[in-house]
Structure formats: structure tokens, C-alpha cells
Amino acid sequence: MEVENKMETKKKLSFLDRFLTVWILLAMVVGVLIGYFFPNFANILNSLSVGTTSIPIAIGLILMMYPPLAKVRYEEIGKAQGGKKPFGVAILYNWFVGPVVMFLLAILLLNDYPHYMIGVILVGLARCIAMVLVWNDIADGDRDYVAVLVALNAIWQVLTYSIFAYIFIKIFPSIFGINTKDITLNISIKEIAVSVFIYLGIPFIAGIFTRLLLVKKNGREWYEKNFVPKISPITLIALLFTVIVMFSLKGKYIVTLPLHVVRVAIPLALYFAIMFLITFFTSYKLKYNYPEIVTTALTAASNDFELAIAVAVATFGLDSGEAFATVIGPLIEVPVMLFLVNVALFLRKKLYSYQEKTTTER
């Protein structure tokens, strides 16, 4: 049964998604090689900037955010009213418990690397709007329910991400005796809000109008089976472009870089596992069914790494430790979340064996 589950997992993932970790690792290598063999690359990039904003990177980040936001089923939000779905648990763990857990892991494990600490915190604040749809489908979650949660997460982030980011990186660290004033000295809530508007607001508006107009014109089936697959690779291309450029600026750190990757990876991996398990078993104790439970748990454990990368790059700079830490997010999230999908299927077998046949036949 376990072997069958793993084979099914691989079948449901697209070729690009299945090897996302590999593509990111290759992009890191390419970036380092460019930085080593073409040391003038950074100057060329700087010449294409307006103020502190690199035009190529800005375009890349906006394009990276557009496809996930165009996939969100905004029309499903109306289904949030009424019913017995565990929305209360999902909202609590997605929007409040998740950011706090990542914050505590970051200050506990990265307090000697404050730049990385802030980057990891930014990842924790960004709630998932894209890959969770893949994880949910593989784990036989509730598709209508996850569509509503993803839509709510997208809107929530547009409205509150800048506020949460300011609180968690400017105010909360000092409560624990961690000084980030030198790092965040010139960072204001307005600056973060501008970054969020540019790199989340613009693609959000483009995504919602694209979906509403094309679904109305051609139907939802055409939109999701024809249009979405065509724009999906844009996210990966833009992400890999950002990684290549970022690592081209960090070529001199190649010797110590693997250790830094491990340091950032530890709190991220712990976060995914902790959030999944506590949300899963909280929902189980509340007697929800398996599809609702696994959807709630996977949504709480996943993150919108594209948004975290965009805000870190825009706010702290492309070659900052904060941006470096956020880019490790997808490198770790993909293999860990695939593992957790298989954990979910194992738990269904153990805890919901009486539902398994019904769930499989949906």
C-alpha cells in the first residue's frame, strides 16, 4: 500500500514540480559559476536599476507571483458561509499559530544569524496559495474546501502581510532580547507595504481579473485545463532566474554556503512537520473527516515562498541574507511536504480505514 501511495504521488506531480528541488540546486550552481567566471555580471545588473530596484528582478518577481494568483478560485469564497468545514481551525493555525511557530524556531535556531532569522520569519508569515493545491490533491483532501482556504489566504496576505512583517521583524525580536535595529533601521511599515503592493498587489489584481474574465468567456474547465498549464511554468522560470542572479552575487561564499543552507533548512523543516502534525491531530480530536483534516493540515504547513522571496529582495536587497534564507524555502518545502503527504496517507489508513474506500472512489 505504501509503495502504491508513493507511485501515485509521483504520477500526480508534474515533471517540473517533481524535480523542483533539483532545478533550484542546479540554478544555485549556475549562479555561482556565473559569479566566478563573469565577475562583472553584478555591475551589468546594477546598470539596469532604478534607484535600489533592479528592473529585471522586479519583472521576474511579479511574473513569479502571477500564475499562482491566477490559479486561485476566488469564486469559491462564497462557499465559506455555513457548513461544517473546520474554517476556525484553519484560520487559527494558518494566520496566527503558523507565524508564531516559525518566529520561535527562527529566534531559537538562528539568533546568531539575524539576517537569516528575519528571512525565515518572512517565510512563516506568507501563507500558501499555490503548491498546497498539489499536495492536497495527492493526499485526497477536500478540493472545494482547499479552494476557499487558498482564496482567503491570498486576500488576507494582500491586506495584512506588511503589518505582520513589521510587527514580527521590528517589534517582537526585541521582546526576546534580540537586537535587529541595525538590520531594520531604515525599514518602515510603509516600505514593506509598498513592496507587498508591487509584488503581491499587482499580480493579485492581474490574477483575479484574468481568472474572472477568461472563466466567464471560456468556462472554468477550459481555463484550468488549457490556460493554467500554459502560464504555470512562468513561476518556475522566474524563480530560477532569481536564484541564479542571487547566487551569482554570492560566489565568494561557495565554501561556507552549504553549511548556511543547512542552518536555514533546519527551522524550515521543523516548521513544516510541527505545523502539519499539530493541525492534523487537533482537527482529528475535533472529529472532522479525513479530507477536511488533511486539507487543513497541509494548508497550515505550507508557505507562499514566492511572496517571501519578493518581499525580502525588495526590502533588503538581492544579495542580502534575508533573501538568501527565503530562497531556501522551496528547496526544503518540496521534499518535506512530499514526505508529509505520505504521512497523511499512512494516518488515513490507520485512523480512517473505514473511510478509505469511499475517499479513494471520489
Side-chain angles (χ1 to χ4, degrees), residues 144-163:
D144 292 333
Y145 176 41
V146 78
V148 176
L149 290 181
V150 166
L152 290 174
N153 279 350
I155 294 172
W156 170 263
Q157 290 181 132
V158 172
L159 298 176
T160 67
Y161 189 86
S162 58
I163 300 171

Side-chain angles (χ1 to χ4, degrees), residues 209-219 222-223 227:
F209 275 102
T210 298
R211 183 175 185 90
L212 294 179
L213 292 175
L214 291 183
V215 167
K216 183 178 180 180
K217 180 180 179 181
N218 299 307
W222 175 89
Y223 185 86
F227 182 73

